[in-house]
Amino acid sequence: MTRKQRHLDYDDCPVEAALDLIGGKWKASILYACSFQAQRFNSLRRLFPKISQRTLTNQLRELEADGLLFRKVFPEIPPRVEYTLTARSSALLPVLEGLHAWGSEHVLPDRKSSA
């Protein structure tokens, strides 16, 4: 599966290049969830009930294709699959933790007060 790239040339902008890999509504959240423990497909569906099965499947495939998730298939019946971070995506943890802290401090309080 080939991921749709937003741009063919990033004009030497590493921020744009990084966001092309982890941007979108669910990818950063999926990576953050996998940072705590290996996740199975259905556990991710429970964590993110608003994501459709098709979208989750596509996001997982793209993250795996980009080397950000490792997909381990266990040879048992029924088959079991777990997703874990790769070394490449583990380097993103400080960024994801920073986004989590920033969102908790600056975004969620605003939503609560405007409700």
Side-chain angles (χ1 to χ4, degrees):
M1 168 181 210
T2 56
R3 183 178 51 79
K4 182 180 176 186
Q5 253 182 284
R6 290 191 187 116
H7 305 284
L8 296 175
D9 184 13
Y10 295 112
D11 296 323
D12 296 321
C13 181
V15 172
E16 189 175 354
L19 287 176
D20 193 30
L21 292 181
I22 65 166
K25 187 171 182 178
W26 300 106
K27 286 184 179 179
S29 297
I30 291 168
L31 290 170
Y32 189 69
C34 291
S35 73
F36 298 103
Q37 64 184 27
Q39 296 287 343
R40 294 176 70 183
F41 186 87
N42 285 330
S43 66
L44 290 168
R45 287 285 312 267
R46 283 189 293 276
L47 284 172
F48 309 113
K50 293 182 181 180
I51 192 171
S52 71
Q53 182 170 337
R54 180 176 185 264
T55 299
L56 179 57
T57 299
N58 288 338
Q59 298 288 277
L60 290 169
R61 285 180 182 162
E62 288 178 14
L63 289 166
E64 182 185 7
D66 290 332
L68 299 175
L69 277 185
F70 176 73
R71 180 178 185 261
K72 182 175 182 178
V73 180
F74 293 87
E76 47 189 56
I77 300 202
R80 179 170 54 112
V81 177
E82 290 184 346
Y83 296 92
T84 55
L85 296 184
T86 63
R88 185 178 189 194
S89 59
S90 292
L92 277 169
L93 286 180
V95 175
L96 296 174
E97 290 166 352
L99 284 170
H100 180 270
W102 184 85
S104 295
E105 185 176 340
H106 297 285
V107 179
L108 294 183
D110 293 343
R111 287 192 177 175
K112 290 176 186 169
S113 64
S114 66

